[in-house]
Amino acid sequence: MFKSLAPPEYLATIDQVKCIRCKRCIQNCGWSVYSWGGDKVLIDTSKCVKCLRCYHYCPEEAIQILDNPVKFKNNAYWGYNNIRNLKRQAETGGIPLTGMGSDLPYPILFDNLLIDACQVTNPSIDPLREPMELRTYLGKKPASVEFEKGKDGKLKLKTKMPPQIKINLPLIFSPMSYGSISLNAQKVLAIAAKECGILMNTGEGGLHEDLLPYRDSIIVQVASGRFGVNPDYLNAGVAVEIKIGQGAKPGIGGHLPGEKIPLEVARTRMIPVGTDAISPAPQHDIYSIEDLKQLIYAIKEATDYKPVSVKIAAVHNVAAIASGIVRAGADIIYLDGFRGGTGAAPSIIRDHLGIPIEHAIAAVDDRLRQEGIRNEASIIAAGGIRSSADAAKAIALGADAVAIATAALTTMGCTICGKCYTGNCSWGITTQRPELTARLDPEIFAERLINLVHAWEHELKEILGALGINAVDSLRGNRERLRGVGLDTQTLDILGVKPAGR
Amino acid sequence: MNNYFEKNIFVNHEGPIAKGKKAADKGLGYEKSISGCGLTGLISKNRTRLSGKAIVESLCLMNDRGNGLGAGYAAYGIYPGFKDFYAFHIMYDAPSVRWTAEEFLKANYHIEKIEEIPTFPVKAIAISPLLVRYFIKPLKEKLAGDVNESDFVVNSVMKINSEIDGAYVFSSGKNMGAFKGVGNPCDIAEFFRIEDYEGYIWTAHTRFPTNTPGWWGGAHPFTLLDWSIVHNGEISSYGINKRYLEMFGYKLTLLTDTEAAAYMLDLLIRRHGLDIATACTVLAAPFWKNIDNMDEQKKEALTALRLAYGSALLNGPFSLLFGHSNGLVGINDRIKLRPLVAATKNDLVYMASEESAIRAICPSPDKVWTPRAGEPVIVELNK
């Protein structure tokens, strides 16, 4: 086979003077970029994905990973990636895959929204001195509550409250299956979720027995492949999530290749070793809303009425779909914007289908309010939450909580190189190769993730304090405290946000 | 008054009234009015009807707390001759609007009496809207089936305020009324001849609007049915309080956050059946750390309240007094960022922003105290 006509994206370089021939780079690279040439390290730069593992583990700082200066001729229309994908398709006849969320320069609405702050007329609140409440309950809320006077004359609750999941801050981890990520990566999420009083989600990969100690911090997922689903599994966590779609790949299924199905993954998913794990595009027992309702209630029956979440990708008609899901009995709606990450998706799908999460939150929250059913379900917003500011903006637009995955993985070493689908992750996250997964010590990396969650918690409290409110309940849906910068009238109208200066 | 002030009245009167009406329909253009304020209220538990003289004196003492851009009074027990009729106080931008509103009223209500609200010319109040009061009762046939009378009246108020351009119902309860406008407390009192009214509950308010110019509809008290509210502070959670109320059919048209508090009480107490003390724990909810340490029954009750009514929490600095047909309530925000003082003397209970405002009319009270954050002072009329 002749050399690929798609030039390498990166140039891995080693300063031969600095290099001490320790071979750590060879050992650390999951992509086999480096090999030993007898007296020096040889480099196959076409394999480099710029995950920077080698850079971090080179004791002499001899390694540099540069963007390849050799590009196709500059063209404002035929961009580098367009041409590159054409070349790759010409060579393979396949669908170029990708990992993580879309990196195309679509407008980022979060970056065009600014949060209010107090001056003079209402005092800002210092979260270091005053209580600041981030506690959030996920689940259906009654429209009103009734009391009866007890014998002692005190209030006694008469209304039967639907089941709730208490989280210490309005943040959870997005679903990532065992298989798409390593068991160690799942353990990091589970340990951090338990420690921080939040939740992780199994994704569609079953629940490994090692995670059972963390079951009070786990949502189990049921998706189109039904991997690992049995009554024990459904009852293992605090809630069950039905996955209809994913922001990065709305409308298509999933495909975990047999190479990523060693014994442990196979056991957890309840499939034979080495077989491809294929999640069909639709759930074959859900062809419309009434089918979804049946599945929701079947799961509720099987779990003694635990909360059921339904995860959908944010698509054009998301508001009407969400309304239907709430009316079908879901306790939680999980909205995943088009920027949401993935372990593997065709780049053509990831980059061109769906809508941004900001629009979706606003549209769904508005619709549920118009129909008077906003209390019937909590809204979780996901798909590209990069910081606590994004989280605060999503909540102000109407979400009850946000979910993060990419941000959580970065604490484990991920540099968002986007090559999760290859199974070669040098950081031991999106791989099942034992020599790679062994690098991710759950205890050590959980501490980093816990730090991240605590940092966001502090930041959210600072934001609330600046807003002069001391409970996240008063931020939720409070679009009056957001302003748009440089957004057109129609976008502002959809978001329900005034332009800055008004 | 200088020219600037007069000009301001004019601009305010023409500008925000018309603008607010259209903006409210779109839901986006509303302007929240932030204001610092002074408030005072008193109640005679034995229903002794007191002239408005005392409350005016009390309010006018707190000159520093207002800037002449809004003041108002509410009183209960002032219309004993019409106590079975809803007393609608309506302000009109122009006389022509009056006929539209009256056509609507005639189609839906038996009208016992129509009269212009008596006013006295005051030099400082150069321009005022047309002010008319109606003593009315819903027509019997309008209440057929399961139509609730209070809901019917609330819907009428919402309809007039949001659909009839230039007409505002600023009072709609029985045997009570609100009197308010743009001006100093003393001028407004003189303008409405407050001293001529006799009531057993009084509330009053002077306003210091800081971001939006004052306008007649934006002055306090805000009322709906028998509820009347005077409020000092800024409800920083207004955006979500408003959207929450809209889910239950309320239309917020008066361009200020206090309106949200009035409707919230109507929703919680009249429509959802919470008692006043419980409604207060919704508006100024206890902190989770306190709830966590309560006994199981109380914890369950308060957790349910916070879960169901998280969007009804009034967050941000406030002290407010709300009057209703059976009593007077004073309450602070959950960390007490605005002042509120209470005092008793015989069967009278006083509440005000400042102790001096109470002592101005009650020099030696039996008891004076400062209510704690979020702990309401609930006073009920004797049966």
Side-chain angles (χ1 to χ4, degrees), chain A residues 121-123 125 130-131 133 135 137 141-145 147 149-150 152 154-157 161 164 365-366 369 372-375 397 467-471 473-474 476-481 492-493 496-498, chain B residues 26 28-32 34 210 234 236-240 243-244 247-248 272 274-275 278 286-289 292 295 297-298 300-311 313 315-317 334-335 337-338:
Chain A
T121 55
N122 52 349
I125 303 170
E130 303 281 348
E133 299 183 322
R135 187 191 291 187
Y137 286 84
K141 311 288 187 294
S144 61
V145 282
F147 294 97
K149 279 265 174 356
D152 47 3
K154 287 184 189 155
L155 285 184
K156 191 169 169 10
L157 185 66
M161 290 297 286
Q164 306 288 328
D365 182 57
D366 274 347
R369 285 180 188 282
I373 53 173
R374 178 63 183 85
N375 57 297
L397 285 173
L467 283 164
I469 52 182
N470 49 20
D473 313 52
S474 302
R476 188 178 309 127
N478 194 349
R479 302 179 189 176
E480 174 61 21
R481 308 303 297 278
L492 288 168
D493 186 48
V497 168
K498 287 192 243 178
Chain B
K26 286 192 344 208
L28 263 188
Y30 61 84
E31 305 263 343
K32 185 178 63 165
I34 298 170
T210 45
E234 176 182 339
S236 308
S237 55
Y238 174 75
I240 184 56
R243 297 182 74 221
Y244 176 69
M247 238 173 85
F248 295 94
H272 287 179
L274 300 183
D275 61 33
T278 310
F287 284 95
W288 284 118
K289 63 180 170 112
D292 290 344
D295 65 66
Q297 182 179 320
K298 204 169 175 197
E300 193 189 10
L302 285 172
T303 302
L305 272 181
R306 286 205 63 178
L307 290 187
Y309 294 113
S311 302
L313 169 66
N315 212 324
R334 58 211 301 247
I335 52 175
L337 295 172
R338 284 289 185 272

Side-chain angles (χ1 to χ4, degrees), chain B residues 90 126 147 299:
Chain B
I90 305 186
V147 179
K299 189 167 153 183

Side-chain angles (χ1 to χ4, degrees), chain A residues 25-34 47-55 57 412-415 417 419-420 422-431 433 435-440 445:
Chain A
C25 50
I26 301 173
Q27 185 192 7
N28 269 285
C29 182
W31 317 88
S32 312
V33 170
Y34 305 106
K47 291 177 177 163
C48 178
V49 302
K50 201 175 181 178
C51 75
L52 298 182
R53 177 85 189 181
C54 57
Y55 170 83
Y57 281 82
M412 302 178 207
C414 170
T415 55
C417 75
K419 295 293 187 290
C420 326
T422 60
N424 293 328
C425 179
S426 302
W427 295 93
I429 305 167
T430 57
T431 177
R433 285 164 51 187
E435 75 279 17
L436 298 178
T437 61
R439 299 171 176 182
L440 194 64
F445 282 89

Side-chain angles (χ1 to χ4, degrees), chain B residues 138-151:
Chain B
L139 291 172
K140 279 214 177 69
E141 64 263 31
K142 296 288 173 186
L143 299 178
D146 59 354
V147 179
N148 174 294
E149 184 172 315
S150 300
D151 283 341

